[in-house]
Amino acid sequence: MNNPFAGSDIMIPDDFREHFDSFVQKKEGKSAQPIHQPFGRNIDMWFFAICLAVKKGLTPTTHAGKSYKAAEGVVLNADPWRPTALTLLAIGETGDVSIVDRPGEMLRIASGYAMAGLPELLTLLNEREGDTALDYLSESIEGMLRTKKAA
C-alpha cells in the first residue's frame, strides 16, 4: 500500500513537546538510551499513543491550541504497515471505505486517537517510580495484552 499520508504533517500540541523531548531519543549523553527514552522517533511515541487509546477504548479528542510539526507523514514509509493500520483505523471508526480517498480525514482520526492516548501514555511513564521508562512501559504493555479491551 502506498503511504497516503506522505504529503501531510504530524502535528502535536505544544503542551506535549517537553514530554516528547523527554521520552524520544534526541538527547545526548547518559540519558540518551532506550531504557530512559523508549521511543526512537516522535512518530513512534505518537503511534504508540494511538494504539494505547484504541486498546483502552478511548474516545478520540481534538486540540485547538498551538501545535508543532513533530514529523512529516512520509516518515510512516519507514514502517510500511503503519499507513495500512491508520487506514484500517479510519475505516473502522467511520464505517466508510471511501475514507481511503481522504487522507487528511484519516490523519485527523488518527491524531484524535493520539490526543486521547497521550495523557494515558504520560501517566504510565510518570507512574514508574524507580523503574526505567522502558522497563515500566514494557511491563505495562504486557499486562494490557493479557487483558481484554475495556468496555
Side-chain angles (χ1 to χ4, degrees):
M1 171 179 197
N2 291 329
N3 178 4
F5 311 107
S8 302
D9 293 329
I10 308 298
M11 303 300 289
I12 297 173
D14 260 351
D15 301 345
F16 292 109
R17 184 188 299 252
E18 179 181 318
H19 301 291
F20 273 78
D21 289 345
S22 295
F23 296 112
V24 174
Q25 297 171 25
K26 295 178 186 177
K27 294 182 179 181
E28 296 179 9
K30 182 182 176 188
S31 65
Q33 299 173 13
I35 61 170
H36 301 294
Q37 296 175 296
F39 300 101
R41 306 167 297 166
N42 284 345
I43 198 72
D44 300 325
M45 188 168 168
W46 178 82
F47 197 88
F48 187 91
I50 292 169
C51 295
L52 186 59
V54 171
K55 173 65 179 164
K56 290 192 163 227
L58 303 177
T59 301
T61 61
T62 58
H63 180 272
K66 188 175 177 187
S67 296
Y68 75 100
K69 181 170 91 171
E72 295 179 358
V74 71
V75 76
L76 292 166
N77 287 341
D79 302 303
W81 54 268
R82 287 189 194 201
T84 303
L86 296 178
T87 299
L88 292 172
L89 175 64
I91 292 169
E93 179 71 16
T94 64
D96 179 11
V97 294
S98 71
I99 197 163
V100 301
D101 297 325
R102 300 186 305 276
E105 181 70 11
M106 290 191 295
L107 191 57
R108 185 193 61 74
I109 291 167
S111 291
Y113 275 100
M115 293 309 99
L118 279 168
E120 293 280 330
L121 175 55
L122 295 175
T123 296
L124 276 176
L125 290 167
N126 290 325
E127 286 177 344
R128 71 182 190 272
E129 296 177 7
D131 281 348
T132 66
L134 183 60
D135 286 342
Y136 191 77
L137 193 57
S138 297
E139 290 168 11
S140 298
I141 294 166
E142 184 180 346
M144 281 183 243
L145 293 174
R146 284 192 225 142
T147 62
K148 293 184 178 185
K149 183 173 131 181

